[in-house]
């Protein structure tokens, strides 16, 4: 539906008011030339689709969705829709913490005129803040050349610019040059910088040091929450049987538990792969699926889900979020200490721009990557733009993190957003993937908003994708939500065959406008088990066409097909947050 000039200007005025209100509560400056997705101005020389708007800007919602009424009656156990109402840092808090200022990068030697390498000074300031127990490091307005990558390795440390339109980091070198080739654990010449690492890299200091050392020794580094050292982590207690959606669990020994402690729920698969079947929704289709030869997928189990304890009474522990899966005795459910996660750290109010180089051939990325969170919990990025990057924003074994008002733009990216290695309960909202500024070189590939590796309960909300796709990248991610998004669906998904199914159960796409009529990875009722597709554009299959991984009835639901934005609630995540019982 085309917008008249009156409608377009009216939407822009409304957005300006909303942005001003937001600045009054958060203190974050918006990116230069940036408004939240409503009423976007097409970039100079862009294709007609560049002025995309969210579905709710086009069609006012007229009726409550039948699936929503069902969900309200059983929010923790609905068969097609996951509960994600507490996704994001600090349970989805609308305002990020603002730790006190403890350092200014200028006093450590950073130069805001790009005349010298400021990375050593900024890294010194970040390390000093961490050693002092946390705090904010300021980057005043200017352009800072960085010839190294920036590391946030202590909890409670925030790198804060003056706004993405006022503070710029100009990155001159890539991660292959700075650290070394990061090969694939599956052999071949693939570069793992295609899906890992960032020029701003938030990861616990000890974990990060061991990872870098392994890369330089040409050994496979520690990944995931316990990664390739799963047998080295101490068990805090075993867990009695529980059901998906339970907020309380019964444990055998509560002595190591206390309110506020971050623990990891560990569920091991059994010889019959009944845990993987459960992630796919159980039933005849998953039971008939051949799991044993999916070696990449089976390397992702045990399933590890970080969560905070909020209360302990006797042998009963209350969790910050409801159980994502059943805890059955055959899966040896237990709480473990896991790795010491980075918590309470963030990046705010800046642009990270890499020197413009052609995009690399597929899977040979050199590592001009943006911002990556690894082994992080309750961390965030807000008002951050990345430009001319191989990969934009990364979540690698990261949980309960928020990316808010972020944007990927420039010459085109392999993964604008990637979410992998058991990343759970993250929130990406008010995001934009801008149309590429140069044609894609031959041999390159574009994905979009990626999720893989048994990652679950993540949310992508209120987004505009002028390019890319809903990249479900095998590795059977499950129980994820994409809602209130407009997409020019021109990307392709990836995924090795050994990574198994594209989708597990309870994948939901809710109010999605597809501007070019391409169905792939948006209309998912024919490929995803126990899924919900609600309020999406009328689409057709072309280009990359997928077939179901599971045989028989998929138990998928479709509602308001061809009418994006026509049903209430407009935004599934926001509606779940508002449920009073939670």
């Amino acid at each position: 539906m085309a917008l008249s000039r009156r409608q377009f200007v009216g939407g822009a005025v409304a957005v300006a008011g909303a942005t001003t209100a937001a600045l009054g509560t958060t203190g974050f400056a918006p990116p230069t030339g940036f408004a939240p997705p409503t009423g976007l101005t097409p970039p100079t020389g862009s294709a007609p689709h560049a002025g995309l708007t969210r579905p709710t800007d086009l069609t006012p919602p007229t009726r409550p969705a039948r699936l929503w009424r069902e969900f309200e009656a059983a929010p923790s156990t609905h068969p097609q829709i996951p509960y994600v109402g507490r996704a994001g840092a600090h349970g989805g808090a609308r305002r990020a913490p603002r730790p006190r200022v403890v350092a200014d990068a200028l006093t450590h030697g950073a130069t805001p005129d790009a005349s010298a390498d400021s990375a050593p000074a900024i890294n010194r300031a970040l390390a000093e803040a961490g050693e002092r127990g946390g705090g904010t490091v300021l980057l005043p307005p200017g352009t800072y050349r960085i010839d190294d990558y920036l590391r946030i390795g202590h909890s409670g440390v925030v790198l804060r610019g003056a706004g993405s339109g006022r503070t710029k980091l100009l990155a001159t070198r890539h991660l292959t040059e700075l650290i070394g080739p990061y090969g694939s654990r599956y052999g071949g010449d693939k570069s793992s910088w295609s899906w890992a690492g960032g020029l701003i890299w938030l990861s616990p200091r000890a974990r990060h040091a061991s990872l870098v050392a392994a890369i330089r020794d040409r050994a496979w580094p520690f990944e995931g929450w316990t990664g390739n050292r799963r047998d080295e982590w101490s068990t805090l207690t075993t867990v009695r049987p529980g059901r998906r959606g339970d907020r309380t669990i019964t444990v055998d020994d509560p002595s190591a538990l206390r309110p506020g402690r971050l623990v990891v729920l560990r569920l091991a698969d059994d010889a019959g792969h009944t845990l993987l079947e459960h992630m796919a929704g159980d039933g005849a289709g998953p039971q008939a699926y051949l799991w044993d030869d999916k070696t990449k997928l089976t390397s992702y189990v045990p399933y590890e889900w970080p969560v905070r304890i909020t209360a302990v009474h006797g042998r009963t522990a209350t969790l910050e979020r409801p159980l994502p899966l059943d805890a059955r005795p055959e899966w040896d459910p237990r709480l473990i200490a896991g790795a010491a996660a980075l918590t309470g750290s963030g990046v705010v109010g800046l642009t990270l721009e890499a020197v413009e180089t052609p995009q690399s051939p597929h899977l040979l990325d050199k590592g001009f990557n943006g911002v990556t969170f690894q082994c992080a919990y309750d961390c965030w990025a807000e008002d951050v733009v990345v430009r001319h990057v191989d990969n934009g924003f990364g979540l690698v074994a990261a949980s309960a993190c928020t990316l808010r008002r972020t944007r990927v733009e420039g010459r085109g990216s392999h993964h604008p957003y990637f979410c992998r290695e058991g990343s759970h309960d993250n929130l990406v909202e008010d995001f934009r993937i801008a149309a590429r500024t140069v044609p894609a070189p031959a041999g390159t590939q574009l994905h979009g908003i990626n999720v893989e590796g048994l990652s679950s309960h993540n949310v992508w909300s209120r987004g505009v994708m002028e390019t890319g796709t809903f990249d479900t990248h095998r590795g059977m991610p499950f129980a994820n939500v994409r809602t209130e998004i407009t997409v020019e669906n021109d990307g392709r998904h990836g995924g090795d065959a050994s990574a198994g199914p594209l989708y597990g159960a309870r994948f939901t796409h809710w109010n999605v406008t597809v501007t070019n009529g391409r169905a792939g990875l948006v209309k998912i009722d024919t490929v995803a088990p126990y899924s919900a597709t609600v309020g999406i554009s009328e689409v057709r299959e072309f280009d990359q066409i997928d077939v179901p991984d599971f045989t028989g009835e998929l138990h998928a639901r479709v509602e308001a097909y061809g009418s994006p934005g026509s049903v209430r609630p407009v935004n599934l995540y926001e509606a779940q947050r508002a449920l009073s019982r939670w």
Side-chain angles (χ1 to χ4, degrees):
M1 174 179 176
L3 293 177
S4 69
R5 178 173 177 78
R6 180 186 297 271
Q7 290 170 313
F8 185 90
V9 172
V13 169
V15 169
T19 302
T20 301
L23 289 172
T25 58
T26 67
F28 299 148
T32 298
F34 172 76
T38 309
L40 290 173
T41 302
T44 302
S46 65
H49 68 261
L52 301 180
T53 53
R54 293 199 310 267
T56 51
D57 299 319
L58 304 179
T59 307
T62 58
R63 63 185 187 277
R66 180 184 305 171
L67 270 164
W68 173 250
R69 292 196 296 265
E70 292 177 8
F71 179 83
E72 284 185 299
S76 59
T77 57
H78 193 277
Q80 281 87 15
I81 300 175
Y83 176 73
V84 293
R86 291 184 62 80
H90 305 286
R94 308 315 298 166
R95 180 177 178 179
R98 294 176 63 93
R100 64 190 178 92
V101 175
V102 297
D104 185 317
L106 296 182
T107 64
H108 285 75
T111 56
D113 60 0
S115 62
D117 176 19
S118 290
I122 298 171
N123 278 326
R124 281 195 301 271
L126 293 169
E128 179 184 295
E131 290 161 3
R132 294 172 60 180
T136 296
V137 173
L138 293 181
L139 268 179
T143 296
Y144 300 83
R145 197 184 89 213
I146 56 172
D147 300 339
D148 197 357
Y149 68 103
L150 304 185
R151 299 176 280 284
I152 298 179
H154 293 85
S155 292
V157 174
V158 175
L159 178 62
R160 178 180 290 273
S164 59
R166 302 179 67 201
T167 297
K168 180 193 289 187
L169 297 169
L170 181 61
T172 63
R173 302 169 73 192
H174 51 70
L175 292 169
T176 300
E177 184 178 3
L178 294 170
I179 298 175
Y182 186 177
S184 169
R185 59 176 156 171
Y186 306 104
D189 60 354
K190 298 176 183 177
S191 167
S192 288
W193 296 127
S194 299
W195 52 76
L199 292 170
I200 302 178
W201 200 334
L202 297 91
S203 179
R205 185 174 49 169
R207 161 70 74 90
H208 189 77
S210 67
L211 184 148
V212 170
I215 293 171
R216 287 174 173 163
D217 290 342
R218 303 298 178 94
W220 189 253
F222 186 134
E223 288 193 339
W225 286 97
T226 57
N228 49 10
R229 300 179 183 175
R230 286 180 174 144
D231 295 332
E232 298 180 14
W233 301 107
S234 59
T235 295
L236 302 176
T237 181
T238 52
V239 177
R240 297 293 178 89
R243 303 292 294 176
R244 174 171 68 93
D246 290 349
R247 282 289 300 277
T248 60
I249 57 174
T250 302
V251 300
D252 290 317
D253 179 7
S255 61
L257 306 184
R258 64 181 184 278
R261 179 163 190 178
L262 181 61
V263 299
V264 176
L265 173 68
R266 182 183 186 274
L267 300 176
D269 204 8
D270 57 13
H273 298 298
T274 59
L275 176 61
L276 293 176
E277 291 175 5
H278 180 52
M279 294 173 182
D282 295 310
Q287 289 173 4
Y289 186 78
L290 180 61
W291 301 98
D292 283 327
D293 65 345
K294 309 304 185 297
T295 53
K296 188 172 183 179
L297 175 65
T298 55
S299 75
Y300 295 141
V301 289
Y303 174 80
E304 295 167 342
W305 179 66
V307 66
R308 286 197 191 279
I309 302 291
T310 60
V312 181
H313 298 288
R315 293 195 297 117
T316 299
T318 303
L319 307 177
E320 184 178 29
R321 296 173 173 83
L323 283 179
L325 297 164
D326 292 352
R328 300 179 188 173
E330 56 265 35
W331 303 329
D332 187 24
R334 59 183 62 208
L335 299 182
I336 64 173
L342 187 76
T343 61
S345 295
V347 181
V348 177
L350 57 81
T351 290
L352 172 63
E353 180 176 315
V355 293
E356 187 171 355
T357 58
Q359 184 179 347
S360 297
H362 189 224
L363 301 179
L364 297 178
D365 295 348
K366 294 181 174 64
F368 275 124
N369 296 347
V371 181
T372 290
F373 296 82
Q374 186 159 7
C375 199
Y377 193 96
D378 278 344
C379 294
W380 68 94
E382 185 151 2
D383 180 26
V384 176
V385 175
V386 297
R387 185 177 298 131
H388 303 321
V389 291
D390 294 335
N391 301 282
F393 292 88
L395 298 161
V396 182
S399 291
C401 295
T402 295
L403 309 181
R404 181 176 290 131
R405 293 198 293 124
T406 58
R407 189 168 81 216
V408 181
E409 61 184 33
R411 51 83 157 159
S413 301
H414 181 192
H415 295 96
Y417 292 83
F418 58 93
C419 178
R420 57 184 299 270
E421 288 285 339
S423 291
H424 314 291
D425 304 302
N426 297 294
L427 170 64
V428 182
E429 67 177 358
D430 295 319
F431 68 95
R432 176 179 173 184
I433 303 172
R436 62 188 309 141
T437 54
V438 296
T444 61
Q445 196 164 124
L446 164 70
H447 297 309
I449 49 176
N450 155 280
V451 62
E452 58 182 289
L454 298 183
S455 297
S456 66
H457 298 85
N458 301 290
V459 176
W460 295 263
S461 171
R462 295 199 307 265
V464 168
M465 301 171 60
E466 296 173 2
T467 190
T469 193
F470 288 6
D471 173 33
T472 307
H473 211 94
R474 299 201 176 272
M476 202 170 69
F478 66 94
N480 296 287
V481 168
R482 293 156 170 153
T483 183
E484 201 181 349
I485 297 171
T486 297
V487 55
E488 173 78 0
N489 191 14
D490 61 359
R492 298 176 66 84
H493 78 73
D496 192 303
S498 68
L502 277 168
Y503 304 90
R506 293 179 301 285
F507 235 96
T508 301
H509 290 169
W510 190 285
N511 274 339
V512 177
T513 296
V514 183
T515 57
N516 61 345
R518 179 175 178 236
L521 298 171
V522 176
K523 187 175 185 294
I524 57 175
D525 58 294
T526 61
V527 291
Y530 290 93
S531 64
T533 303
V534 178
I536 73 161
S537 302
E538 186 172 341
V539 291
R540 62 187 177 88
E541 295 289 359
F542 62 91
D543 190 29
Q544 190 173 19
I545 299 174
D546 291 298
V547 297
D549 291 292
F550 303 107
T551 58
E553 174 59 51
L554 292 178
H555 305 283
R557 302 277 295 276
V558 181
E559 187 174 350
Y561 175 56
S563 302
S566 66
V567 296
R568 299 191 304 267
V570 171
N571 186 292
L572 181 62
Y573 168 71
E574 297 291 350
Q576 290 195 16
R577 284 182 53 82
L579 287 176
S580 59
R581 73 187 70 184
W582 294 94

